[in-house]
Amino acid sequence: MLDKNGIAKRIAQEVQDGFYVNLGIGIPTLVANYVREDIEVEFQSENGVLGMGPFPFEGDEDADIINAGKQTITTMPGASFFDSATSFSMIRGKHVDLTILGAMEVAENGDIANWKIPGKMVKGMGGAMDLVASAENIIVAMMHSNKHGESKILKQCSLPLTGVGCVTKVVTNLAVLEVKDNAFHLLERAPGVSVEEIKSATEGTLVVNGEIPEMNI
Amino acid sequence: MINKKVNNVQEALKGVKDKMTFMLGGFGLCGIPENAISELVKLNVRDVTCISNNAGVDDFGLGLLLQNKQIKKMISSYVGENDEFERQMLSGELEVELTPQGTLAEKCRAAQAGFPAFYTPAGYGTEVAEGKETREFDGKMYVLEPAFKADFAFVKAWKGDAAGNLVFKGTSRNFNPNMCGAATITVAEVEELVEVGELDPNNIHIPGIFVQRIFEGKDYEKRIEQRTVRQRS
């Protein structure tokens, strides 16, 4: 079974040379730590920066340079700053190659819910609805089950939706799943996790074809 | 040169009244119009609608207006950093319109650019699209979103001049340029008001035509919400 860093490590393998990548808050932010060093990638943060770099050294923080999680950051050579409308032109206009974000629930038809628990938690969707409505390459980083042990990989989302039919791949602490033809197709198992364990943790339709390899991370 | 300079925040906020709609720039606490917010608290205008990506934190930014119960309605994309906000919203004291971030930015830009509305794919099939016109273009569904209408836009820039020209710094730019000229009156506060002619016309982010009043702000705190650093090895 993977921890959050393990999930990030596996997702980092999906990042290709020349990609512009938008990373959501939480596990997705960790992906930047594991991207191969021999490829060129630029990270976009929807609050208005392309070419995001690592966190600053202590004493170098600048209140005017933050990421979408409101964390202080640095920029890489070749970086640029822009306004919010331009930032979402990059996203809506499909200029960003890969979007990685977290979720509370994902359904077998590609629906995603990650912004609201009615009556309990309403933080807002931020940029998530814009991202999932336009991006063609969306990877969801999440735990397979919630803290009560209930599956988050569902037939149908129960929470208010963020977007419909948009998720293409899910990487959890247990598995890599491809979302297509109204089902989750099991591509890889996390180290030490059996197909049976993944089956029992998945509420949605799970398609298992042949021998399922273990992740190589 | 048409002079937009006013002497202080009091003069800049002349005409602000109860029940008005305000746009306020900033992302989190980054690039917020700190001086205008302090003055709005002092003026104690009530029942106002605020359009701003976030709602500040409990004791800073728009959180100050919330604590004072001055806000009737908030239009934002993300409000997770403010406990008082969540309390007022869940108890029904505060009306909230959560709007996807890109849609929020474009509703500002549309108002600035003279578009009454636009189609966006964001929110299609979700509760955000409920009651809104939808339409198919090239096999994909879109939601019609109207431009904002506001009485005042309060924005913050790094540098500006008396002509109203603005230059922003880093990610404190965010919604600020999109809100300029998107309200009846745009008030720009700047960290540094420089002499006219000092800003390079090639490098101006917002031309003065979008700004009605400009002043040099004071005592910027520029609070960092999530100070995140790495160790020197």
Side-chain angles (χ1 to χ4, degrees):
Chain A
M1 196 187 300
L2 301 176
D3 60 5
K4 290 179 175 182
N5 280 293
I7 296 173
K9 233 180 212 177
R10 175 59 191 82
I11 293 177
Q13 295 173 5
E14 305 283 323
V15 179
Q16 294 172 25
D17 190 29
F19 266 15
Y20 292 104
V21 183
N22 180 287
L23 300 176
I25 296 163
I27 302 173
T29 305
L30 303 171
V31 172
N33 301 334
Y34 302 108
V35 173
R36 277 165 49 196
E37 279 175 15
D38 60 337
I39 61 174
E40 291 298 330
V41 173
E42 284 194 26
F43 292 106
Q44 197 252 19
S45 196
E46 64 268 24
N47 59 312
V49 54
L50 190 62
M52 203 176 7
F55 297 129
F57 290 118
E58 202 163 352
D60 291 345
E61 314 92 280
D62 183 339
D64 290 326
I65 303 178
I66 64 168
N67 64 15
K70 284 96 180 178
Q71 296 170 305
T72 44
I73 53 154
T74 59
T75 53
M76 301 298 285
S80 56
F81 297 115
F82 36 84
D83 64 77
S84 299
T86 304
S87 178
F88 283 90
S89 298
M90 296 175 188
I91 290 164
R92 208 184 299 104
K94 302 182 196 292
H95 306 287
V96 174
D97 299 290
L98 176 62
T99 292
I100 301 166
L101 76 176
M104 297 172 186
E105 297 177 343
V106 172
E108 61 192 37
N109 63 354
D111 288 359
I112 177 172
N114 72 355
W115 72 285
K116 183 179 184 181
I117 303 172
K120 269 194 203 154
M121 186 287 288
V122 188
K123 293 186 185 304
M125 66 292 280
M129 282 194 184
D130 307 272
L131 283 158
V132 301
S134 294
E136 277 161 355
N137 197 0
I138 299 174
I139 300 178
V140 172
M142 67 194 291
M143 302 308 275
H144 214 94
S145 305
N146 66 20
K147 53 179 183 254
H148 308 295
E150 297 155 349
S151 182
K152 295 162 73 173
I153 311 293
L154 306 172
K155 285 193 184 312
Q156 206 178 345
C157 291
S158 64
L159 295 170
L161 296 180
T162 306
V164 293
C166 52
V167 176
T168 48
K169 203 174 247 186
V170 183
V171 179
T172 74
N173 51 326
L174 304 183
V176 179
L177 306 163
E178 190 184 3
V179 188
K180 64 171 185 190
D181 308 327
N182 279 310
F184 295 101
H185 296 252
L186 183 58
L187 299 184
E188 294 173 26
R189 299 173 289 114
V193 175
S194 71
V195 171
E196 283 313 309
E197 283 172 88
I198 295 164
K199 269 186 187 161
S200 70
T202 306
E203 196 240 313
T205 309
L206 186 73
V207 176
V208 184
N209 265 333
E211 197 74 6
I212 304 299
E214 197 171 279
M215 292 178 203
N216 182 19
I217 55 170
Chain B
M1 197 272 300
I2 300 170
N3 189 7
K4 310 288 174 73
K5 190 187 160 199
V6 294
N7 291 312
N8 50 46
V9 68
Q10 289 81 14
E11 226 175 284
L13 266 68
K14 231 175 124 188
V16 163
K17 289 196 198 86
D18 292 353
K19 298 185 179 156
M20 278 186 161
T21 298
F22 303 142
M23 289 177 164
L24 298 107
F27 185 98
L29 301 177
C30 183
I32 57 172
E34 292 184 23
N35 282 232
I37 290 170
S38 301
E39 188 61 17
L40 288 170
V41 172
K42 276 190 204 141
L43 290 170
N44 199 26
V45 282
R46 317 291 298 182
D47 297 321
V48 298
T49 296
C50 290
I51 300 164
S52 181
N53 188 55
N54 311 90
V57 293
D58 282 323
D59 63 342
F60 198 55
L62 278 178
L64 298 169
L65 268 75
L66 280 168
Q67 292 238 330
N68 214 12
K69 309 254 168 80
Q70 292 175 253
I71 303 178
K72 186 187 81 169
K73 182 176 176 182
M74 195 72 219
I75 301 174
S76 303
S77 86
Y78 190 82
V79 293
E81 290 93 357
N82 192 317
D83 295 336
E84 174 65 11
F85 184 100
E86 206 159 356
R87 192 196 64 72
Q88 286 186 24
M89 173 166 61
L90 292 173
S91 72
E93 288 165 62
L94 179 71
E95 203 184 322
V96 179
E97 191 176 308
L98 288 168
T99 303
Q101 196 176 130
T103 302
L104 188 86
E106 202 61 20
K107 281 164 79 89
C108 296
R109 208 194 71 85
Q112 175 194 63
F115 294 110
F118 57 90
Y119 284 101
T120 175
Y124 176 75
T126 76
E127 59 184 65
V128 163
E130 281 171 18
K132 290 175 186 162
E133 190 182 320
T134 57
R135 187 168 159 180
E136 187 184 322
F137 294 91
D138 293 328
K140 190 175 163 96
M141 293 303 294
Y142 294 80
V143 185
L144 186 68
E145 291 282 359
F148 281 130
K149 287 194 175 90
D151 299 292
F152 277 85
F154 300 111
V155 304
K156 193 245 167 190
W158 177 36
K159 289 179 181 177
D161 63 21
N165 297 311
L166 302 177
V167 175
F168 301 89
K169 177 173 164 258
T171 54
S172 70
R173 188 182 313 196
N174 57 65
F175 288 82
N176 286 297
N178 306 129
M179 290 177 173
C180 289
T184 309
I185 295 174
T186 297
V187 175
E189 57 183 86
V190 296
E191 283 178 55
E192 199 185 333
L193 193 66
V194 303
E195 291 299 320
V196 169
E198 211 174 293
L199 298 175
D200 178 353
N202 288 302
N203 293 321
I204 282 169
H205 296 144
I206 280 290
I209 192 169
F210 293 117
V211 174
Q212 278 68 48
R213 301 172 189 171
I214 189 167
F215 70 100
E216 189 171 279
K218 277 192 244 175
D219 305 324
Y220 283 103
E221 181 180 336
K222 299 221 261 177
R223 195 186 290 187
I224 293 175
E225 220 166 316
Q226 304 284 344
R227 186 179 300 275
T228 316
V229 296
R230 69 190 145 129
Q231 297 304 314
R232 284 176 204 276
S233 51

